[in-house]
Amino acid sequence: MRLASWNGRAVVVDAGGNLAVDVAKASDGRFGPDVQRVYDDWPAFVEWAGAGDLDLEQFGRPFRRADLQAPSPTPRQVFAIGLNYRDHADESGLAHPDIPPTFTKFVSCFAGPEGTLVLPAGTVDWEAELVVVIGRAARHVPAADAWSHVAGLTVGQDYSERSLQLAGPAPQFSLGKSHPGFAPQGPWLVTTDAIPDLDDLEVKCTVNGETVQSGRTGDMIFGVPELVAFLSSVVTLMPGDVVFTGTPAGVGAARSPQRFLRPGDVVHTTIAGLGSLRQTCVAK
Ligand code: ZN
């Protein structure tokens, strides 16, 4: 199943990505209309949606991707993991971590899958990432049980303004990665049952059509089960919570010469089986 937020309302999207059915209307108000309410009642929603009451062909309406929000647009908590691919840690000149380096992206930087990215002053970089949305609360969950707490996966960009991110003496990861529009996600959540190989998905990023990142989530140092286990050993993960899982090699800051985003650049981020994002950079 594909779940999206369209003009603030939960919708189920057809396999072609063209038609959407309003969840609140189809369920006579039992679920939705906002997506957070769907995550808060996730097991019941999945059961209802799987019962076959949704006739996407008959009741689906066409939509524009530019009118979608992030699939979980108002989570209680947002986690982001740094240095989770060996090749990206290597290109950054940093050691492979023993535990997942964790920061946040403040939720005001969330955006939908398509639109403009207003470039703040400084050095703005790209980071294509797999994004996890939690479906059932998780506390001290072992890795072997972790997938049962995940609602699904989506595509994310962890846009990063490197000058602030790396300003010393204490780096400002969370702020440097939270300018408005710095966390586009989507186009929809794909539920875990609809993804053949949950632990090995191709991640790709292009800038103006040139491939800058090409990796596989199977190369993550800490896979999704390990991240859920680690995070839930410290905090309680809540339905709708979002986890950015880290980026593979190929970011602009690690290039020689370094390359950062400029007005007019078009960033396209794709994860096989999930979908893609598209932002056009504009001057502030
Ligand atoms: Zn990142």
Side-chain angles (χ1 to χ4, degrees), residues 81-82 103 127 129 158 160 177 246-247:
I81 308 301
F103 55 95
E127 293 193 357
E129 306 203 2
D158 177 17
S160 304
K177 290 166 171 274
T247 199

Coordinates of all heavy atoms in Angstrom, one line a residue, residues 81-82 103 127 129 158 160 177 246-247, ligand 1:
I81 N 20.6 9.9 11.1 CA 21.9 9.2 11.4 C 23.0 9.7 10.5 O 22.8 9.8 9.3 CB 21.6 7.7 11.2 CG1 20.4 7.2 11.9 CG2 22.9 6.9 11.6 CD1 20.4 7.5 13.4
G82 N 24.1 10.0 11.1 CA 25.3 10.4 10.3 C 26.3 9.2 10.0 O 26.2 8.2 10.8
F103 N 21.3 12.8 15.3 CA 20.9 14.2 15.4 C 19.5 14.3 15.0 O 18.8 13.3 14.8 CB 21.8 15.1 14.6 CG 21.9 14.8 13.2 CD1 21.1 15.5 12.2 CD2 22.8 13.8 12.7 CE1 21.2 15.2 10.9 CE2 22.9 13.5 11.3 CZ 22.0 14.2 10.4
E127 N 22.1 15.0 0.2 CA 22.3 13.7 0.8 C 21.1 12.9 0.6 O 20.1 13.0 1.3 CB 22.6 13.8 2.4 CG 23.9 14.5 2.7 CD 24.3 14.3 4.2 OE1 23.5 13.7 5.0 OE2 25.3 14.8 4.6
E129 N 18.7 9.8 1.0 CA 18.6 8.9 2.1 C 17.3 8.1 2.1 O 16.2 8.6 1.7 CB 18.6 9.7 3.4 CG 19.9 10.6 3.5 CD 20.3 10.9 4.9 OE1 19.7 10.5 5.9 OE2 21.3 11.7 5.0
D158 N 18.4 14.8 2.8 CA 18.9 15.5 4.0 C 19.8 16.7 3.6 O 21.0 16.6 3.7 CB 19.7 14.5 4.8 CG 20.4 15.1 6.1 OD1 20.0 16.2 6.5 OD2 21.3 14.5 6.6
S160 N 21.9 19.9 3.5 CA 22.8 20.2 4.6 C 23.6 21.5 4.2 O 24.2 21.5 3.1 CB 23.8 19.1 4.8 OG 23.1 17.9 5.1
K177 N 21.1 21.5 9.2 CA 20.3 20.6 8.3 C 18.8 20.9 8.4 O 18.0 20.1 8.0 CB 20.6 19.1 8.6 CG 22.0 18.7 8.2 CD 22.4 17.4 8.9 CE 23.7 16.8 8.3 NZ 23.6 16.0 7.1
G246 N 20.9 8.0 6.8 CA 22.2 8.3 6.4 C 22.4 8.2 4.9 O 21.5 7.7 4.2
T247 N 23.5 8.7 4.4 CA 23.7 8.9 3.0 C 24.9 8.1 2.5 O 25.9 8.1 3.2 CB 23.7 10.4 2.6 OG1 23.5 10.5 1.2 CG2 25.1 11.0 2.9
Ligands
ZN1 ZN 22.3 12.7 6.2

